[in-house]
Amino acid sequence: MSESFLTAAFLSISGGLQDAYTYICRGEVFANAQTGNIVLLSQSLVERKWSTVIHYLIPLGFFAMGIVVAEGIRQKYKNVQRIHWRQLVLLMEMLLLLVVGFLPTACNLLANAMVSFACAMQVQTFRKVNGYAFASTMCIGNIRSGMESLCVYGKTKDKEKLYKAGHYLGIIGMFAVGAAVGGHLILLLHERTIWVSCGLLFVGFLLMFIKEELEEHPRILEEEQEIRKNIQNIREEAKEVENIIKEDLKK
């Protein structure tokens, strides 16, 4: 379930909202798109604006640390049975974003660092949607993969490629929705807008229990397989009856 399109959709909406939040509400810093921060950091270095350098350097550093922590959680808790290690990452991310909502604008540097840290954990933890590599907190890779799949479909008419492209375009659309909603809610909720992202992540957290229920109750899967087998038998019997009828008509 952690790789389902539904889970990826909620994570992508949250990712778009986080980027809009830090840029509009927290001093024009990108929480997810660290490339933009590097560009602005480099410009500040050339202009010797040292306070601005720190403004962009700290989120970059915390983003890097977020990846390290997410990977550490995966290695330590990947064999835990009661809860999936990805759910632990989401719990930590929600806690961080909950705290960010309480921070005033005077603490924008800390707020951006915490959001960047949370975003890094998310992008490191959730990297596939239905088997396709994707990112829930940025769009450049999704755009490339989506357009590539469309080009291949245009040449081969392979519906699998069209299906793949649809996944990427859908994720990009969800990210855009999150950014739009975040930009609008900032006018109403201000710093607390990030709590909406917590709610979206909580939905993703709950969705992941669906797979756990199937694993804890294998009888559900057995019954499903039995139903599929019965349907297949009915189809085969129907074909045999159809063939008998055709032979009788010929006589």
Side-chain angles (χ1 to χ4, degrees):
M1 195 62 190
S2 62
E3 294 185 10
S4 71
F5 183 84
L6 184 59
T7 302
F10 280 99
L11 294 177
S12 297
I13 295 173
S14 175
L17 189 150
Q18 291 168 26
D19 236 6
Y21 174 79
T22 55
Y23 190 83
I24 298 173
C25 189
R26 294 292 187 176
E28 298 185 345
V29 172
F30 292 105
N32 305 328
Q34 297 301 322
T35 302
N37 290 337
I38 291 173
V39 171
L40 297 171
L41 170 66
S42 301
Q43 182 182 358
S44 299
L45 280 171
V46 172
E47 297 175 354
R48 297 183 180 181
K49 296 180 179 179
W50 307 119
S51 60
T52 308
V53 168
I54 296 174
H55 187 68
Y56 293 108
L57 182 61
I58 289 180
L60 276 167
F62 272 81
F63 189 90
M65 286 191 290
I67 294 174
V68 173
V69 171
E71 184 60 19
I73 292 175
R74 184 190 71 83
Q75 293 179 5
K76 186 174 182 179
Y77 296 103
K78 62 182 179 181
N79 295 322
V80 173
Q81 298 297 323
R82 292 187 177 181
I83 190 170
H84 199 283
W85 69 270
R86 288 187 174 93
Q87 289 174 298
L88 295 175
V89 171
L90 285 182
L91 284 174
M92 187 173 180
E93 185 178 355
M94 285 186 283
L95 179 61
L96 288 170
L97 298 182
L98 182 66
V99 173
V100 169
F102 288 105
L103 298 178
T105 54
C107 299
N108 279 353
L109 190 62
L110 176 60
N112 288 328
M114 294 175 69
V115 176
S116 294
F117 186 92
C119 288
M121 293 179 66
Q122 181 175 316
V123 76
Q124 175 67 12
T125 302
F126 298 91
R127 296 187 288 181
K128 287 186 178 182
V129 52
N130 286 344
Y132 306 128
F134 93 115
S136 62
T137 61
M138 58 194 74
C139 289
I140 185 168
N142 297 335
I143 294 172
R144 183 199 65 78
S145 299
M147 296 311 298
E148 179 186 31
S149 298
L150 278 178
C151 291
V152 174
Y153 170 73
K155 184 177 180 180
T156 64
K157 304 302 178 184
D158 184 354
K159 291 185 178 180
E160 171 63 24
K161 298 300 180 182
L162 183 62
Y163 181 74
K164 182 179 180 180
H167 274 70
Y168 286 113
L169 295 177
I171 292 299
I172 294 167
M174 293 298 100
F175 185 93
V177 167
V181 170
H184 178 72
L185 290 178
I186 286 170
L187 300 175
L188 303 173
L189 303 176
H190 307 289
E191 290 81 12
R192 291 182 291 276
T193 303
I194 198 65
W195 291 345
V196 178
S197 184
C198 291
L200 293 166
L201 295 175
F202 185 66
V203 174
F205 173 84
L206 294 178
L207 285 172
M208 291 179 64
F209 278 113
I210 295 175
K211 181 178 180 180
E212 185 172 321
E213 283 296 312
L214 293 177
E215 290 176 348
E216 290 182 355
H217 304 283
R219 180 60 186 168
I220 298 175
L221 294 177
E222 292 176 4
E223 290 177 356
E224 181 182 355
Q225 292 173 357
E226 186 175 348
I227 291 171
R228 291 178 182 274
K229 185 177 179 180
N230 290 335
I231 292 174
Q232 183 63 30
N233 291 335
I234 292 171
R235 287 176 178 173
E236 292 176 357
E237 291 175 1
K239 287 182 179 179
E240 291 178 2
V241 172
E242 183 180 358
N243 291 332
I244 293 172
I245 294 173
K246 286 181 179 179
E247 291 178 359
D248 290 342
L249 291 175
K250 288 179 181 180
K251 294 179 181 179

